[in-house]
Short mmCIF file of all heavy atoms in Angstrom, two decimals:
data_model
loop_
_atom_site.label_atom_id
_atom_site.label_comp_id
_atom_site.label_asym_id
_atom_site.label_seq_id
_atom_site.Cartn_x
_atom_site.Cartn_y
_atom_site.Cartn_z
N ARG A 1 18.26 -23.87 25.54
CA ARG A 1 17.82 -24.96 24.76
C ARG A 1 17.36 -26.10 25.59
O ARG A 1 16.41 -26.83 25.21
CB ARG A 1 18.91 -25.44 23.75
CG ARG A 1 19.07 -24.43 22.67
CD ARG A 1 20.08 -24.89 21.59
NE ARG A 1 20.10 -23.92 20.53
CZ ARG A 1 21.25 -23.72 19.85
NH1 ARG A 1 22.36 -24.33 20.12
NH2 ARG A 1 21.19 -22.86 18.88
N GLU A 2 17.98 -26.34 26.70
CA GLU A 2 17.59 -27.42 27.62
C GLU A 2 16.15 -27.18 28.12
O GLU A 2 15.47 -28.16 28.35
CB GLU A 2 18.50 -27.48 28.78
CG GLU A 2 19.90 -28.02 28.44
CD GLU A 2 20.83 -28.09 29.67
OE1 GLU A 2 20.36 -27.97 30.84
OE2 GLU A 2 22.01 -28.14 29.45
N ALA A 3 15.71 -25.96 28.21
CA ALA A 3 14.38 -25.64 28.66
C ALA A 3 13.42 -25.53 27.48
O ALA A 3 12.22 -25.26 27.66
CB ALA A 3 14.37 -24.35 29.43
N GLY A 4 13.89 -25.88 26.24
CA GLY A 4 12.99 -25.86 25.07
C GLY A 4 13.01 -24.55 24.37
O GLY A 4 12.13 -24.35 23.46
N ALA A 5 13.84 -23.61 24.70
CA ALA A 5 13.88 -22.30 24.12
C ALA A 5 14.70 -22.40 22.79
O ALA A 5 15.55 -23.26 22.65
CB ALA A 5 14.50 -21.29 24.99
N ARG A 6 14.45 -21.52 21.86
CA ARG A 6 15.18 -21.44 20.64
C ARG A 6 16.12 -20.24 20.75
O ARG A 6 15.79 -19.24 21.45
CB ARG A 6 14.29 -21.26 19.46
CG ARG A 6 13.43 -22.50 19.18
CD ARG A 6 12.83 -22.36 17.91
NE ARG A 6 12.78 -23.72 17.30
CZ ARG A 6 12.17 -24.01 16.19
NH1 ARG A 6 11.62 -23.02 15.50
NH2 ARG A 6 12.12 -25.21 15.71
N VAL A 7 17.19 -20.33 20.10
CA VAL A 7 18.24 -19.22 20.14
C VAL A 7 18.15 -18.39 18.89
O VAL A 7 18.28 -18.91 17.78
CB VAL A 7 19.61 -19.77 20.34
CG1 VAL A 7 20.63 -18.70 20.40
CG2 VAL A 7 19.71 -20.55 21.67
N LEU A 8 17.97 -17.10 18.99
CA LEU A 8 17.97 -16.16 17.89
C LEU A 8 19.19 -15.26 18.08
O LEU A 8 19.41 -14.68 19.11
CB LEU A 8 16.71 -15.31 17.98
CG LEU A 8 16.60 -14.16 17.03
CD1 LEU A 8 16.49 -14.60 15.59
CD2 LEU A 8 15.38 -13.25 17.34
N ALA A 9 19.93 -15.11 16.97
CA ALA A 9 21.07 -14.26 16.92
C ALA A 9 20.85 -13.11 16.00
O ALA A 9 20.41 -13.26 14.88
CB ALA A 9 22.34 -15.03 16.56
N LEU A 10 21.21 -11.92 16.44
CA LEU A 10 21.18 -10.74 15.59
C LEU A 10 22.69 -10.36 15.24
O LEU A 10 23.40 -10.15 16.21
CB LEU A 10 20.51 -9.51 16.31
CG LEU A 10 19.08 -9.76 16.76
CD1 LEU A 10 18.55 -8.48 17.43
CD2 LEU A 10 18.24 -10.10 15.56
N THR A 11 22.96 -10.40 14.03
CA THR A 11 24.40 -10.24 13.61
C THR A 11 24.51 -9.21 12.50
O THR A 11 23.54 -8.78 11.95
CB THR A 11 25.05 -11.49 13.22
OG1 THR A 11 24.57 -11.91 11.93
CG2 THR A 11 24.83 -12.67 14.23
N GLY A 12 25.73 -8.91 12.20
CA GLY A 12 26.00 -8.14 10.98
C GLY A 12 26.04 -9.03 9.77
O GLY A 12 25.66 -10.18 9.80
N ARG A 13 26.56 -8.51 8.64
CA ARG A 13 26.57 -9.16 7.40
C ARG A 13 27.13 -10.60 7.37
O ARG A 13 26.51 -11.51 6.95
CB ARG A 13 27.37 -8.36 6.39
CG ARG A 13 27.44 -8.98 5.01
CD ARG A 13 28.27 -8.21 4.00
NE ARG A 13 27.93 -6.78 3.94
CZ ARG A 13 26.95 -6.30 3.18
NH1 ARG A 13 26.22 -7.06 2.42
NH2 ARG A 13 26.81 -4.99 3.21
N GLY A 14 28.32 -10.82 8.03
CA GLY A 14 28.93 -12.08 7.97
C GLY A 14 28.48 -13.05 9.00
O GLY A 14 28.67 -14.31 8.91
N GLY A 15 27.81 -12.66 10.08
CA GLY A 15 27.32 -13.51 11.12
C GLY A 15 28.31 -13.83 12.20
O GLY A 15 27.98 -14.21 13.31
N GLY A 16 29.61 -13.66 11.91
CA GLY A 16 30.63 -13.88 12.90
C GLY A 16 30.60 -15.27 13.49
O GLY A 16 30.09 -16.24 12.88
N ARG A 17 31.12 -15.40 14.68
CA ARG A 17 31.14 -16.70 15.40
C ARG A 17 29.78 -17.01 16.06
O ARG A 17 29.48 -18.16 16.38
CB ARG A 17 32.18 -16.67 16.46
CG ARG A 17 33.56 -16.57 15.92
CD ARG A 17 34.70 -16.69 16.97
NE ARG A 17 34.34 -15.56 18.01
CZ ARG A 17 35.30 -14.93 18.58
NH1 ARG A 17 36.57 -15.16 18.35
NH2 ARG A 17 34.93 -14.06 19.49
N LEU A 18 28.89 -16.00 16.18
CA LEU A 18 27.62 -16.22 16.82
C LEU A 18 26.67 -16.87 15.92
O LEU A 18 25.90 -17.79 16.40
CB LEU A 18 27.03 -14.85 17.20
CG LEU A 18 25.67 -14.81 17.90
CD1 LEU A 18 25.76 -15.63 19.17
CD2 LEU A 18 25.24 -13.35 18.15
N ALA A 19 26.51 -16.59 14.64
CA ALA A 19 25.42 -17.13 13.79
C ALA A 19 25.40 -18.66 13.80
O ALA A 19 24.27 -19.21 13.85
CB ALA A 19 25.60 -16.59 12.37
N PRO A 20 26.50 -19.40 13.70
CA PRO A 20 26.46 -20.86 13.68
C PRO A 20 25.89 -21.47 15.01
O PRO A 20 25.44 -22.58 15.10
CB PRO A 20 27.81 -21.36 13.40
CG PRO A 20 28.64 -20.13 13.01
CD PRO A 20 27.94 -18.97 13.48
N LEU A 21 25.93 -20.68 16.16
CA LEU A 21 25.54 -21.15 17.40
C LEU A 21 24.07 -21.03 17.61
O LEU A 21 23.45 -21.65 18.53
CB LEU A 21 26.26 -20.36 18.55
CG LEU A 21 27.81 -20.46 18.56
CD1 LEU A 21 28.38 -19.61 19.62
CD2 LEU A 21 28.23 -21.96 18.66
N ALA A 22 23.38 -20.31 16.79
CA ALA A 22 21.96 -19.92 16.94
C ALA A 22 21.12 -20.89 16.05
O ALA A 22 21.57 -21.46 15.07
CB ALA A 22 21.70 -18.50 16.49
N ASP A 23 19.78 -21.07 16.48
CA ASP A 23 18.83 -21.75 15.62
C ASP A 23 18.43 -20.89 14.47
O ASP A 23 18.14 -21.42 13.37
CB ASP A 23 17.56 -22.05 16.51
CG ASP A 23 17.93 -23.06 17.63
OD1 ASP A 23 18.58 -24.03 17.36
OD2 ASP A 23 17.58 -22.71 18.82
N LEU A 24 18.41 -19.61 14.62
CA LEU A 24 18.07 -18.66 13.61
C LEU A 24 18.98 -17.39 13.80
O LEU A 24 19.02 -16.81 14.82
CB LEU A 24 16.62 -18.20 13.70
CG LEU A 24 16.12 -17.18 12.75
CD1 LEU A 24 16.22 -17.65 11.26
CD2 LEU A 24 14.73 -16.71 13.05
N ALA A 25 19.63 -17.08 12.68
CA ALA A 25 20.51 -15.90 12.68
C ALA A 25 19.92 -14.88 11.74
O ALA A 25 19.62 -15.16 10.59
CB ALA A 25 21.95 -16.21 12.27
N VAL A 26 19.68 -13.69 12.27
CA VAL A 26 19.17 -12.59 11.42
C VAL A 26 20.39 -11.71 11.18
O VAL A 26 20.91 -11.09 12.09
CB VAL A 26 18.08 -11.77 12.18
CG1 VAL A 26 17.61 -10.59 11.36
CG2 VAL A 26 16.85 -12.63 12.55
N ARG A 27 20.78 -11.73 9.96
CA ARG A 27 22.01 -10.99 9.48
C ARG A 27 21.63 -9.69 8.85
O ARG A 27 20.87 -9.71 7.87
CB ARG A 27 22.83 -11.81 8.56
CG ARG A 27 23.36 -13.12 9.23
CD ARG A 27 24.08 -13.88 8.20
NE ARG A 27 24.40 -15.27 8.86
CZ ARG A 27 25.29 -16.04 8.39
NH1 ARG A 27 26.00 -15.79 7.27
NH2 ARG A 27 25.50 -17.24 8.97
N VAL A 28 22.12 -8.57 9.38
CA VAL A 28 21.80 -7.30 8.75
C VAL A 28 22.94 -7.05 7.72
O VAL A 28 24.08 -7.02 8.03
CB VAL A 28 21.87 -6.21 9.84
CG1 VAL A 28 21.77 -4.83 9.20
CG2 VAL A 28 20.77 -6.44 10.86
N PRO A 29 22.52 -6.85 6.44
CA PRO A 29 23.49 -6.77 5.34
C PRO A 29 24.12 -5.36 5.22
O PRO A 29 23.83 -4.66 4.27
CB PRO A 29 22.63 -7.16 4.08
CG PRO A 29 21.32 -6.75 4.45
CD PRO A 29 21.14 -6.97 5.96
N ALA A 30 24.85 -4.97 6.22
CA ALA A 30 25.42 -3.63 6.24
C ALA A 30 26.86 -3.84 6.73
O ALA A 30 27.16 -4.75 7.52
CB ALA A 30 24.72 -2.68 7.09
N ASP A 31 27.78 -2.91 6.32
CA ASP A 31 29.14 -2.95 6.77
C ASP A 31 29.43 -1.98 7.94
O ASP A 31 30.31 -2.14 8.70
CB ASP A 31 30.07 -2.64 5.64
CG ASP A 31 30.01 -3.73 4.54
OD1 ASP A 31 29.93 -4.83 4.90
OD2 ASP A 31 29.97 -3.32 3.39
N ARG A 32 28.53 -0.93 8.08
CA ARG A 32 28.79 0.04 9.14
C ARG A 32 28.04 -0.42 10.39
O ARG A 32 26.88 -0.70 10.40
CB ARG A 32 28.24 1.40 8.66
CG ARG A 32 29.10 1.95 7.52
CD ARG A 32 28.59 3.31 7.09
NE ARG A 32 28.47 4.23 8.19
CZ ARG A 32 27.44 5.14 8.33
NH1 ARG A 32 26.59 5.24 7.35
NH2 ARG A 32 27.42 5.89 9.32
N ILE A 33 28.75 -0.45 11.48
CA ILE A 33 28.28 -0.92 12.77
C ILE A 33 27.06 -0.08 13.24
O ILE A 33 26.11 -0.65 13.82
CB ILE A 33 29.41 -1.00 13.84
CG1 ILE A 33 28.88 -1.68 15.11
CG2 ILE A 33 29.88 0.38 14.21
CD1 ILE A 33 28.58 -3.14 14.89
N GLU A 34 27.06 1.19 12.95
CA GLU A 34 25.93 2.00 13.39
C GLU A 34 24.65 1.62 12.64
O GLU A 34 23.58 1.56 13.29
CB GLU A 34 26.19 3.55 12.99
CG GLU A 34 27.39 4.11 13.68
CD GLU A 34 28.71 3.87 12.82
OE1 GLU A 34 28.68 3.25 11.76
OE2 GLU A 34 29.77 4.27 13.37
N VAL A 35 24.76 1.24 11.44
CA VAL A 35 23.61 0.77 10.64
C VAL A 35 23.14 -0.56 11.19
O VAL A 35 21.93 -0.86 11.47
CB VAL A 35 23.89 0.70 9.15
CG1 VAL A 35 22.74 0.03 8.43
CG2 VAL A 35 24.30 2.04 8.60
N VAL A 36 24.06 -1.46 11.51
CA VAL A 36 23.77 -2.79 12.08
C VAL A 36 23.07 -2.64 13.38
O VAL A 36 21.98 -3.27 13.68
CB VAL A 36 24.96 -3.63 12.13
CG1 VAL A 36 24.65 -4.91 12.87
CG2 VAL A 36 25.55 -3.92 10.76
N GLU A 37 23.62 -1.78 14.23
CA GLU A 37 22.99 -1.58 15.58
C GLU A 37 21.58 -0.93 15.46
O GLU A 37 20.72 -1.36 16.22
CB GLU A 37 23.91 -0.61 16.39
CG GLU A 37 25.20 -1.23 16.90
CD GLU A 37 26.09 -0.22 17.54
OE1 GLU A 37 25.97 0.93 17.30
OE2 GLU A 37 27.02 -0.70 18.27
N ASP A 38 21.40 0.03 14.63
CA ASP A 38 20.04 0.60 14.42
C ASP A 38 19.07 -0.53 13.95
O ASP A 38 17.92 -0.58 14.39
CB ASP A 38 20.07 1.71 13.37
CG ASP A 38 20.78 2.93 13.94
OD1 ASP A 38 20.98 3.02 15.23
OD2 ASP A 38 21.07 3.90 13.19
N ALA A 39 19.51 -1.35 13.03
CA ALA A 39 18.61 -2.40 12.51
C ALA A 39 18.27 -3.40 13.68
O ALA A 39 17.12 -3.82 13.84
CB ALA A 39 19.24 -3.13 11.41
N HIS A 40 19.36 -3.73 14.49
CA HIS A 40 19.09 -4.60 15.63
C HIS A 40 18.09 -4.04 16.60
O HIS A 40 17.21 -4.76 17.10
CB HIS A 40 20.38 -4.91 16.39
CG HIS A 40 21.30 -5.82 15.64
ND1 HIS A 40 22.60 -6.03 16.02
CD2 HIS A 40 21.16 -6.47 14.43
CE1 HIS A 40 23.15 -6.86 15.22
NE2 HIS A 40 22.37 -7.17 14.26
N MET A 41 18.11 -2.72 16.81
CA MET A 41 17.16 -2.06 17.69
C MET A 41 15.77 -2.14 17.13
O MET A 41 14.76 -2.46 17.80
CB MET A 41 17.58 -0.62 17.93
CG MET A 41 18.75 -0.47 18.82
SD MET A 41 19.29 1.29 19.04
CE MET A 41 17.82 2.07 19.63
N ALA A 42 15.59 -1.94 15.80
CA ALA A 42 14.30 -2.03 15.14
C ALA A 42 13.79 -3.44 15.24
O ALA A 42 12.58 -3.72 15.51
CB ALA A 42 14.40 -1.56 13.79
N ILE A 43 14.65 -4.43 14.98
CA ILE A 43 14.24 -5.83 15.02
C ILE A 43 13.85 -6.22 16.46
O ILE A 43 12.76 -6.87 16.65
CB ILE A 43 15.37 -6.69 14.53
CG1 ILE A 43 15.62 -6.51 13.09
CG2 ILE A 43 15.08 -8.21 14.83
CD1 ILE A 43 16.98 -7.07 12.50
N GLY A 44 14.70 -5.83 17.45
CA GLY A 44 14.28 -6.15 18.84
C GLY A 44 12.95 -5.50 19.21
O GLY A 44 12.10 -6.13 19.88
N HIS A 45 12.74 -4.25 18.80
CA HIS A 45 11.37 -3.60 19.16
C HIS A 45 10.28 -4.37 18.41
O HIS A 45 9.22 -4.61 19.02
CB HIS A 45 11.48 -2.17 18.62
CG HIS A 45 10.20 -1.46 18.76
ND1 HIS A 45 9.71 -1.02 20.04
CD2 HIS A 45 9.16 -1.12 17.92
CE1 HIS A 45 8.56 -0.45 19.85
NE2 HIS A 45 8.18 -0.45 18.60
N SER A 46 10.46 -4.77 17.23
CA SER A 46 9.36 -5.48 16.48
C SER A 46 9.11 -6.84 17.14
O SER A 46 7.93 -7.26 17.32
CB SER A 46 9.80 -5.69 15.04
OG SER A 46 9.92 -4.48 14.34
N LEU A 47 10.14 -7.52 17.67
CA LEU A 47 9.98 -8.82 18.38
C LEU A 47 9.21 -8.58 19.63
O LEU A 47 8.26 -9.40 19.98
CB LEU A 47 11.26 -9.49 18.65
CG LEU A 47 12.04 -9.99 17.40
CD1 LEU A 47 13.43 -10.44 17.78
CD2 LEU A 47 11.25 -11.18 16.79
N CYS A 48 9.49 -7.50 20.35
CA CYS A 48 8.77 -7.19 21.58
C CYS A 48 7.31 -6.95 21.36
O CYS A 48 6.44 -7.38 22.03
CB CYS A 48 9.42 -6.06 22.32
SG CYS A 48 10.98 -6.50 23.12
N VAL A 49 7.02 -6.08 20.30
CA VAL A 49 5.62 -5.78 19.93
C VAL A 49 4.87 -7.10 19.58
O VAL A 49 3.81 -7.25 20.06
CB VAL A 49 5.61 -4.75 18.73
CG1 VAL A 49 4.23 -4.70 18.18
CG2 VAL A 49 6.12 -3.44 19.19
N ALA A 50 5.50 -7.96 18.76
CA ALA A 50 4.87 -9.19 18.44
C ALA A 50 4.63 -10.07 19.63
O ALA A 50 3.55 -10.71 19.77
CB ALA A 50 5.69 -9.95 17.36
N ALA A 51 5.59 -10.15 20.56
CA ALA A 51 5.40 -10.98 21.76
C ALA A 51 4.27 -10.45 22.64
O ALA A 51 3.43 -11.18 23.12
CB ALA A 51 6.72 -11.02 22.55
N ARG A 52 4.21 -9.08 22.85
CA ARG A 52 3.13 -8.48 23.62
C ARG A 52 1.77 -8.75 22.99
O ARG A 52 0.83 -9.03 23.60
CB ARG A 52 3.37 -7.00 23.83
CG ARG A 52 4.41 -6.67 24.88
CD ARG A 52 4.29 -5.21 25.21
NE ARG A 52 4.64 -4.32 24.10
CZ ARG A 52 5.86 -3.86 23.76
NH1 ARG A 52 6.88 -4.19 24.49
NH2 ARG A 52 5.99 -3.06 22.74
N SER A 53 1.72 -8.72 21.62
CA SER A 53 0.49 -9.01 20.93
C SER A 53 0.09 -10.43 21.12
O SER A 53 -1.14 -10.71 21.41
CB SER A 53 0.60 -8.58 19.53
OG SER A 53 -0.53 -8.90 18.78
N ALA A 54 0.99 -11.29 21.02
CA ALA A 54 0.66 -12.77 21.22
C ALA A 54 0.27 -13.02 22.61
O ALA A 54 -0.71 -13.76 22.84
CB ALA A 54 1.91 -13.62 20.85
N ILE A 55 0.88 -12.45 23.59
CA ILE A 55 0.49 -12.62 24.99
C ILE A 55 -0.96 -12.07 25.25
O ILE A 55 -1.77 -12.70 25.89
CB ILE A 55 1.48 -11.94 25.97
CG1 ILE A 55 2.82 -12.72 25.89
CG2 ILE A 55 1.01 -11.87 27.38
CD1 ILE A 55 3.94 -12.02 26.53
N ALA A 56 -1.24 -10.88 24.68
CA ALA A 56 -2.53 -10.32 24.86
C ALA A 56 -3.56 -11.25 24.21
O ALA A 56 -4.69 -11.39 24.76
CB ALA A 56 -2.58 -8.92 24.25
N ALA A 57 -3.35 -11.69 23.06
CA ALA A 57 -4.30 -12.60 22.34
C ALA A 57 -4.52 -13.86 23.13
O ALA A 57 -5.65 -14.34 23.28
CB ALA A 57 -3.75 -12.95 20.95
N ARG A 58 -3.48 -14.41 23.72
CA ARG A 58 -3.57 -15.64 24.51
C ARG A 58 -4.38 -15.35 25.80
O ARG A 58 -5.27 -16.19 26.13
CB ARG A 58 -2.22 -16.14 24.88
CG ARG A 58 -2.18 -17.36 25.74
CD ARG A 58 -2.86 -18.57 25.05
NE ARG A 58 -2.99 -19.72 25.88
CZ ARG A 58 -2.20 -20.76 25.87
NH1 ARG A 58 -1.18 -20.78 25.04
NH2 ARG A 58 -2.36 -21.74 26.69
N ARG A 59 -4.17 -14.26 26.43
CA ARG A 59 -4.98 -13.86 27.58
C ARG A 59 -6.40 -13.70 27.23
O ARG A 59 -7.30 -14.09 27.99
CB ARG A 59 -4.41 -12.59 28.24
CG ARG A 59 -3.12 -12.77 29.00
CD ARG A 59 -2.65 -11.58 29.60
NE ARG A 59 -1.47 -11.81 30.40
CZ ARG A 59 -0.51 -10.87 30.69
NH1 ARG A 59 -0.77 -9.60 30.37
NH2 ARG A 59 0.52 -11.18 31.41
N ALA A 60 -6.77 -13.07 26.12
CA ALA A 60 -8.11 -12.85 25.72
C ALA A 60 -8.74 -14.27 25.43
O ALA A 60 -9.91 -14.51 25.79
CB ALA A 60 -8.14 -11.98 24.46
N GLU A 61 -8.06 -15.09 24.78
CA GLU A 61 -8.56 -16.49 24.50
C GLU A 61 -8.77 -17.21 25.78
O GLU A 61 -9.84 -17.85 25.93
CB GLU A 61 -7.53 -17.22 23.61
CG GLU A 61 -7.99 -18.70 23.30
CD GLU A 61 -6.92 -19.39 22.43
OE1 GLU A 61 -6.31 -18.76 21.57
OE2 GLU A 61 -6.72 -20.62 22.71
N ASP A 62 -7.87 -17.14 26.72
CA ASP A 62 -8.07 -17.82 28.05
C ASP A 62 -9.28 -17.20 28.72
O ASP A 62 -10.06 -18.00 29.34
CB ASP A 62 -6.78 -17.61 28.86
CG ASP A 62 -5.62 -18.43 28.37
OD1 ASP A 62 -5.85 -19.28 27.50
OD2 ASP A 62 -4.51 -18.26 28.84
N ALA A 63 -9.45 -15.92 28.69
CA ALA A 63 -10.63 -15.35 29.33
C ALA A 63 -11.98 -15.78 28.76
O ALA A 63 -12.91 -16.11 29.48
CB ALA A 63 -10.55 -13.78 29.23
N VAL A 64 -11.96 -15.92 27.49
CA VAL A 64 -13.21 -16.47 26.75
C VAL A 64 -13.43 -17.88 27.20
O VAL A 64 -14.57 -18.34 27.52
CB VAL A 64 -13.08 -16.35 25.21
CG1 VAL A 64 -14.17 -17.19 24.59
CG2 VAL A 64 -13.07 -14.89 24.83
N LEU A 65 -12.34 -18.70 27.25
CA LEU A 65 -12.48 -20.13 27.61
C LEU A 65 -12.96 -20.28 29.03
O LEU A 65 -13.70 -21.20 29.39
CB LEU A 65 -11.17 -20.89 27.36
CG LEU A 65 -10.81 -20.97 25.87
CD1 LEU A 65 -9.42 -21.61 25.73
CD2 LEU A 65 -11.80 -21.75 25.06
N ARG A 66 -12.47 -19.38 29.94
CA ARG A 66 -12.91 -19.37 31.34
C ARG A 66 -14.38 -18.98 31.49
O ARG A 66 -15.11 -19.40 32.37
CB ARG A 66 -12.00 -18.64 32.21
CG ARG A 66 -10.71 -19.24 32.41
CD ARG A 66 -9.88 -18.47 33.50
NE ARG A 66 -9.83 -17.02 33.33
CZ ARG A 66 -8.93 -16.38 32.68
NH1 ARG A 66 -7.92 -17.09 32.10
NH2 ARG A 66 -8.89 -15.08 32.48
N THR A 67 -14.80 -17.92 30.69
CA THR A 67 -16.10 -17.34 30.79
C THR A 67 -17.20 -18.16 30.16
O THR A 67 -18.34 -18.21 30.69
CB THR A 67 -16.07 -15.95 30.22
OG1 THR A 67 -14.99 -15.22 30.85
CG2 THR A 67 -17.33 -15.23 30.45
N ALA A 68 -16.97 -18.78 29.05
CA ALA A 68 -17.95 -19.50 28.34
C ALA A 68 -18.75 -20.53 29.18
O ALA A 68 -20.01 -20.53 29.14
CB ALA A 68 -17.36 -20.16 27.04
N PRO A 69 -18.03 -21.32 29.96
CA PRO A 69 -18.77 -22.33 30.78
C PRO A 69 -19.75 -21.61 31.78
O PRO A 69 -20.80 -22.11 32.11
CB PRO A 69 -17.76 -23.14 31.47
CG PRO A 69 -16.52 -23.04 30.69
CD PRO A 69 -16.60 -21.60 30.05
N LEU A 70 -19.28 -20.55 32.31
CA LEU A 70 -20.10 -19.78 33.31
C LEU A 70 -21.38 -19.26 32.62
O LEU A 70 -22.47 -19.26 33.19
CB LEU A 70 -19.28 -18.66 33.96
CG LEU A 70 -18.08 -19.07 34.72
CD1 LEU A 70 -17.20 -17.85 35.14
CD2 LEU A 70 -18.45 -19.89 35.89
N LEU A 71 -21.18 -18.70 31.42
CA LEU A 71 -22.28 -18.18 30.71
C LEU A 71 -23.30 -19.30 30.30
O LEU A 71 -24.50 -19.14 30.38
CB LEU A 71 -21.85 -17.39 29.40
CG LEU A 71 -21.15 -16.12 29.67
CD1 LEU A 71 -20.58 -15.58 28.33
CD2 LEU A 71 -21.91 -15.14 30.35
N ALA A 72 -22.73 -20.47 29.95
CA ALA A 72 -23.57 -21.55 29.64
C ALA A 72 -24.43 -22.00 30.84
O ALA A 72 -25.59 -22.35 30.71
CB ALA A 72 -22.71 -22.73 29.13
N GLU A 73 -23.75 -22.04 32.02
CA GLU A 73 -24.47 -22.49 33.27
C GLU A 73 -25.62 -21.55 33.51
O GLU A 73 -26.64 -21.92 34.04
CB GLU A 73 -23.46 -22.48 34.41
CG GLU A 73 -22.55 -23.67 34.46
CD GLU A 73 -21.59 -23.58 35.67
OE1 GLU A 73 -21.96 -22.94 36.77
OE2 GLU A 73 -20.61 -24.21 35.60
N ALA A 74 -25.41 -20.28 33.27
CA ALA A 74 -26.36 -19.25 33.51
C ALA A 74 -27.42 -19.17 32.43
O ALA A 74 -28.47 -18.51 32.52
CB ALA A 74 -25.77 -17.88 33.65
N GLY A 75 -27.29 -20.05 31.37
CA GLY A 75 -28.24 -20.09 30.29
C GLY A 75 -28.17 -18.96 29.30
O GLY A 75 -29.08 -18.74 28.46
N HIS A 76 -27.05 -18.27 29.26
CA HIS A 76 -26.88 -17.20 28.31
C HIS A 76 -26.35 -17.58 26.92
O HIS A 76 -26.62 -16.93 25.96
CB HIS A 76 -25.93 -16.14 28.94
CG HIS A 76 -26.49 -15.43 30.17
ND1 HIS A 76 -27.59 -14.65 30.14
CD2 HIS A 76 -26.13 -15.55 31.48
CE1 HIS A 76 -27.79 -14.20 31.37
NE2 HIS A 76 -26.97 -14.73 32.17
N VAL A 77 -25.63 -18.73 26.91
CA VAL A 77 -25.14 -19.28 25.62
C VAL A 77 -25.10 -20.73 25.73
O VAL A 77 -25.17 -21.38 26.89
CB VAL A 77 -23.66 -18.77 25.37
CG1 VAL A 77 -23.54 -17.30 25.22
CG2 VAL A 77 -22.73 -19.22 26.47
N GLU A 78 -25.03 -21.39 24.60
CA GLU A 78 -24.92 -22.81 24.58
C GLU A 78 -23.42 -23.21 24.60
O GLU A 78 -22.60 -22.55 24.01
CB GLU A 78 -25.55 -23.36 23.29
CG GLU A 78 -27.06 -23.24 23.21
CD GLU A 78 -27.63 -23.88 21.98
OE1 GLU A 78 -27.05 -24.88 21.48
OE2 GLU A 78 -28.67 -23.45 21.51
N ALA A 79 -23.14 -24.25 25.37
CA ALA A 79 -21.71 -24.62 25.51
C ALA A 79 -21.28 -25.41 24.32
O ALA A 79 -22.03 -25.96 23.59
CB ALA A 79 -21.52 -25.49 26.77
#
């Protein structure tokens, strides 16, 4: 948090002692630990996919922003 990060907690139904410590607690409404763990794996995978997608979009945007002035200088596009 000192570095500006947010804390996300993945918990079971009750949240335990962890949920109140997080900025956002994702509680899996199940009583069996195997189900909770499987849900946590799916959530973690989904978060990674979303992060990779956001990073790729940002890189593409940065590439366009770096390239546009060069194309404008060459007379290929208007800045």
Side-chain angles (χ1 to χ4, degrees):
R1 286 186 176 146
E2 290 177 17
R6 292 191 146 175
V7 177
L8 170 68
L10 302 178
T11 71
R13 180 184 308 277
R17 295 183 306 218
L18 180 61
L21 301 175
D23 296 310
L24 174 64
V26 177
R27 298 178 187 195
V28 176
D31 295 319
R32 294 182 49 219
I33 189 65
E34 299 87 1
V35 174
V36 173
E37 289 173 340
D38 288 347
H40 287 173
M41 288 176 56
I43 293 165
H45 176 72
S46 296
L47 291 171
C48 288
V49 169
R52 282 194 298 267
S53 179
I55 290 168
R58 178 63 186 259
R59 286 183 178 157
E61 181 182 319
D62 289 348
V64 169
L65 294 175
R66 285 191 309 271
T67 306
L70 299 174
L71 293 173
E73 283 180 25
H76 297 291
V77 296
E78 291 185 29

